Amino acid sequence: MPILVVEDKDSLRTMLRKTLESRGHTVDEAGDAYEARKKLQATRYLLVLTDLRLPGGSGFDVLEAAREADPETPVIVMTAFGTVEEAVRAMKQGAADFLTKPVDTDHLLLLLDRAIDRRRLRAEYLLLKEEHQRRFGLPRVLGDDPGLKETMLAIQRAAQSDATVLILGESGTGKELMARSLHQLSSRAKAPFVAINCAAIPEALLENELFGHERGAFTGANARKIGKAETAQHGTLFLDEIGDLPLALQAKILRLVQERQFERVGGLATISVDVRVVAATNRSLTEAVAQKQFREDLFFRLSVLSVTIPPLRRRRGDIVPLAEAFLERYAAELGRKGLSLSEAARRALLDHAWPGNVRELQNSLERAVILVEGQAIGPEHLRLAPPAGEALSLGDVMDLSGPLAEVARRAAARAEDEAIALALRRADGDRAAAAASLGVSTSTLARRLKES
Ligand SMILES: Nc1ncnc2c1ncn2[C@@H]1O[C@H](COP(=O)(O)OP(=O)(O)OP(=O)(O)O)[C@@H](O)[C@H]1O
Ligand SMILES: [Mg+2]
């Protein structure tokens, strides 16, 4: 693939072309932003090198055109000395790097190699990722937290029946993963798992997506379309974000759940299907019912068998093991060996509030594996967002409902568990030392460890 050089001054453009050609690259040239845009629409480039000040537009237009044409194409911008703000702005808009004028050819070649390398790695990474997902199918539900285990047990029990299941939990807690494992565990595993996100599809299209339509149902419907409810025949229909289901459709979903029947849009015939419905939401349906945004009858029907996935901040014990599992997964995908979490990184992970739950943790580890240069992942590679505003209250990390004595007992048990875990970590797993620092005997510590 060729490199595109965009520069209005002929002498500099020629110099750049020669430098790049000396490295064995093919080079295309453009003298202004307009010409550059035309070329970018016609050809795929390995890389774009552009001046920021150009006749007929600016380097920002070139940057935009390049990103439109192919977001994977790196763009290096050139700026005159003393206009760093512009370079910073360009980087924010997606430039891979910047170079100040007068251009130093060694520096140029260095940036070039780096950008091309990164692009190649990224492409390989995406391929590997796809291959991995194809080969290993779904990720397992990981974690030993008692709350999560309870949810998983409920899911296993539900899998034996055909009951409708409602999965509750904050965003990123693993609702879809749980729905998929429910499907895998059930006798429907060989039939399709079909997911539909009720929040992502505009109301007008949702019914059509769900139930399909007959030919001629509306202008443009020139063939019959089968909806997801039918595609899921003998399998599982996953209604994600059901809290966002428009009122108008709720009655139809209720009928689907109760009678497994519906009509296609514009159709008269009643269709019967054999599907299990699993629904999920991160909204409080009770509140939605109170606000008359959600039908009470549908809510009751869905709540017969509901499970709640605890947020990650309420299962702190799972944070580090999950992080290690994700680290291992991404390191294997990227062919990185010997990576590990530094002590400071573990502490940062434990101190973080995880508003985005497991998804946030997973993304953070994926980024860290890409960013880390040596073998030890530090807090700086995790890029954890600072906590929003006020500090965590106890209610954020534990369940404060129920009788006072019960709450106090839970809080004490919880504090002791964490103190023990911390003491063990500080003592590098040496139980005698940990017991001493906690002022208990080793046998008491051993008993407590067995209980928790
Ligand atoms: N316990 C877990 N073990 C392994 N991976 C998990 C676990 N929980 C969540 N994940 C992973 O975290 C990511 C987010 O999970 P998922 O999409 O199921 O969450 P969600 O609750 O549906 O989120 P949202 O409400 O944002 O749609 C997925 O990649 C999933 O594989
Ligand atoms: Mg989801």
Side-chain angles (χ1 to χ4, degrees):
M1 273 192 275
I3 292 178
L4 179 64
V5 173
V6 193
E7 164 62 55
D8 54 323
K9 225 193 281 152
D10 293 345
S11 56
L12 178 58
R13 200 171 62 238
T14 309
M15 188 280 268
L16 292 167
R17 175 166 55 76
K18 288 201 170 133
T19 311
L20 297 174
E21 282 175 350
S22 74
R23 275 303 186 90
H25 292 296
T26 0
V27 176
D28 239 4
E29 298 175 31
D32 58 49
Y34 177 72
E35 199 186 343
R37 185 176 272 275
K38 269 205 321 208
K39 294 212 154 164
L40 280 163
Q41 280 160 1
T43 315
R44 277 191 78 201
Y45 289 99
L46 178 64
L47 181 140
V48 178
L49 178 63
T50 180
D51 193 4
L52 272 184
R53 301 266 163 92
L54 289 167
S58 82
F60 287 100
D61 301 320
V62 178
L63 181 59
E64 193 188 297
R67 298 199 55 83
E68 270 168 25
D70 178 5
E72 298 292 321
T73 304
V75 178
I76 297 179
V77 298
M78 296 179 286
T79 55
F81 179 75
T83 52
V84 187
E85 305 81 41
E86 279 190 349
V88 171
R89 184 151 75 92
M91 297 282 290
K92 279 198 183 134
Q93 290 178 21
D97 237 317
F98 70 95
L99 197 64
T100 42
K101 288 179 171 184
V103 172
D104 170 50
T105 48
D106 284 341
H107 191 198
L108 167 62
L109 291 174
L110 185 84
L111 293 189
L112 188 79
D113 286 347
R114 202 159 74 183
I116 293 173
D117 256 7
R118 239 187 271 151
R119 176 181 184 155
R120 187 176 47 78
L121 278 176
R122 169 101 194 130
E124 279 173 9
Y125 170 63
L126 290 176
L127 277 177
L128 272 173
K129 191 166 165 172
E130 247 180 56
E131 156 105 24
H132 181 87
Q133 275 168 357
R134 244 200 324 272
R135 227 179 330 154
F136 297 102
L138 327 139
R140 276 189 320 121
V141 181
L142 304 169
D144 278 323
D145 178 86
L148 185 73
K149 282 254 138 84
E150 220 170 275
T151 308
M152 277 154 67
L153 262 172
I155 288 285
Q156 276 162 17
R157 275 196 299 271
Q160 314 302 317
S161 73
D162 260 345
T164 302
V165 178
L166 175 65
I167 303 176
L168 302 168
E170 290 178 11
S171 140
T173 45
K175 295 186 293 297
E176 177 157 1
L177 181 65
M178 213 50 100
R180 284 180 189 276
S181 50
L182 171 63
H183 173 72
Q184 289 299 327
L185 289 167
S186 75
S187 59
R188 298 171 175 271
K190 289 214 167 65
F193 174 90
V194 179
I196 182 162
N197 187 327
C198 305
I201 301 174
E203 180 166 350
L205 292 181
L206 195 56
E207 179 174 5
N208 189 19
E209 278 297 309
L210 266 166
F211 300 129
H213 62 243
E214 291 295 344
R215 181 184 168 159
F218 45 85
T219 351
N222 30 33
R224 164 185 289 170
K225 180 187 143 130
I226 300 298
K228 302 236 171 179
E230 268 176 275
T231 318
Q233 180 67 319
H234 302 311
T236 303
L237 179 66
F238 178 50
L239 303 174
D240 204 358
E241 314 292 359
I242 195 153
D244 294 286
L245 190 69
L247 261 176
L249 266 175
Q250 291 176 14
K252 295 188 175 166
I253 291 293
L254 180 65
R255 180 160 164 241
L256 177 70
V257 168
Q258 265 170 348
E259 286 147 40
R260 308 277 191 266
Q261 287 186 338
F262 61 91
E263 279 96 38
R264 300 192 189 111
V265 176
L268 295 172
T270 298
I271 316 262
S272 291
V273 282
D274 163 36
V275 294
R276 167 191 332 243
V277 175
V278 176
T281 180
N282 55 21
R283 291 184 54 185
S284 155
L285 289 186
T286 340
E287 251 169 57
V289 168
Q291 289 165 1
K292 303 251 181 289
Q293 287 164 359
F294 205 85
R295 290 177 68 117
E296 196 168 30
D297 48 5
L298 179 56
F299 169 66
F300 284 139
R301 185 72 214 194
L302 291 173
S303 316
V304 173
L305 220 174
S306 78
V307 299
T308 304
I309 310 182
L312 191 56
R313 63 178 175 280
R314 296 230 176 107
R315 38 182 164 124
R316 301 229 154 237
D318 277 353
I319 295 176
V320 172
L322 272 170
E324 278 172 340
F326 292 138
L327 170 60
E328 199 178 311
R329 182 189 302 169
Y330 293 118
E333 281 181 20
L334 283 158
R336 298 279 315 253
K337 292 212 175 69
L339 293 185
S340 65
L341 289 169
S342 72
E343 197 44 49
R346 280 165 208 263
R347 235 173 297 130
L349 289 171
L350 284 170
D351 286 344
H352 190 60
W354 301 110
N357 293 295
V358 185
R359 176 177 295 112
E360 184 186 359
L361 178 65
Q362 186 174 312
N363 290 344
S364 156
L365 266 297
E366 180 175 26
R367 210 158 39 218
V369 171
I370 295 173
L371 290 176
V372 70
E373 312 235 327
Q375 308 234 288
I377 292 178
E380 69 278 17
H381 302 119
L382 295 166
R383 303 264 170 102
L384 301 178
E390 69 263 51
L392 281 181
S393 89
L394 208 48
D396 291 328
V397 295
M398 62 171 287
D399 182 9
L400 293 181
S401 62
L404 209 50
E406 177 62 16
V407 174
R409 194 197 52 75
R410 270 203 305 271
R414 178 77 202 248
E416 285 189 26
D417 281 351
E418 293 202 10
I420 290 172
L422 185 69
L424 279 168
R425 247 183 289 130
R426 291 215 173 117
D428 267 334
D430 180 339
R431 286 195 182 186
S437 77
L438 292 165
V440 297
S441 67
T442 357
S443 52
T444 305
L445 178 61
R447 195 171 57 240
R448 277 307 310 265
L449 284 170
K450 227 189 254 152
E451 281 165 8
S452 61

